[in-house]
Amino acid sequence: MKALRSVLPILLMFAATALVAQTSAQKSFDQLKTLEGGWEGKNGQGHPVTVSFRDTAGGSALMSEIHGHGPEKMISMFHLDGPNRLMLTHYCGAGNQPRMTATTSADGKTITFDFFDGTNIGDAGHMQRVVFTMVDANHHTEEWTFNAGPGKEMKEFFDLHRAEVAQQ
């Protein structure tokens, strides 16, 4: 009984730590939520692009809306699938909805989403990957990779700054 009393506080401490500890997926989701608001920048061809991020569904989802000049007008939804998996569903101009899962760099500044399945995936191609790099609180980049068929990839790069900072 005496041994149990001496071990019990240690077990309670470990249990409390486990409850407070965030998973990598949760940390990445929280990192993406810091993007909430408007962003301005240029795509890889130097054309202007704006992106907005909005917290929705009671904080359980983050919506990104890309406003470009042409085929870049798309929406992506980010959400957790359980405590250990961060998902992205991309509603693409190609008419399909690829789903991707996230991995995060050791420093937490780069979140990479890779395709694992989707709906309406056919011969038109689909988004295969997107990499978000957090440069600082007011600057991030997005690199989108479109799979246009075997051995055919197209990439689009957005260099974005917070709208209120970009206008100063």
Side-chain angles (χ1 to χ4, degrees), residues 2-152:
K2 205 177 208 182
L4 182 60
R5 276 186 276 176
S6 63
V7 173
L8 191 57
I10 294 170
L11 291 174
L12 289 174
M13 182 181 72
F14 282 121
T17 302
L19 288 174
V20 174
Q22 284 189 319
T23 66
S24 175
Q26 181 66 57
K27 287 178 188 175
S28 295
F29 188 46
D30 290 346
Q31 174 82 341
L32 287 170
K33 284 182 174 184
T34 68
L35 298 175
E36 190 169 10
W39 295 79
E40 299 176 345
K42 298 201 180 288
N43 67 13
Q45 293 77 43
H47 299 131
V49 64
T50 60
V51 178
S52 61
F53 289 87
R54 184 170 55 104
D55 193 34
T56 189
S60 67
L62 179 69
M63 181 175 81
S64 165
E65 190 169 4
I66 299 171
H67 311 274
H69 296 277
E72 297 146 345
K73 296 178 183 178
M74 295 173 272
I75 290 176
S76 296
M77 298 295 291
F78 306 85
H79 68 90
L80 289 169
D81 180 22
N84 297 314
R85 184 160 74 161
L86 178 58
M87 306 275 306
L88 176 153
T89 301
H90 179 69
Y91 298 87
C92 190
N96 53 40
Q97 303 79 36
R99 295 190 323 150
M100 301 177 221
T101 57
T103 56
T104 305
S105 64
D107 66 3
K109 292 184 180 226
T110 302
I111 304 169
T112 302
F113 290 88
D114 286 304
F115 177 84
F116 84 94
D117 76 359
T119 55
N120 297 318
I121 303 296
D123 296 335
H126 63 273
M127 285 297 176
Q128 183 72 29
R129 169 181 269 208
V130 61
V131 179
F132 289 83
T133 302
M134 312 307 177
V135 178
D136 61 43
N138 296 310
H139 182 200
H140 83 277
T141 63
E142 301 178 16
E143 183 178 47
W144 292 83
T145 303
F146 186 80
N147 178 343
K152 298 177 191 170

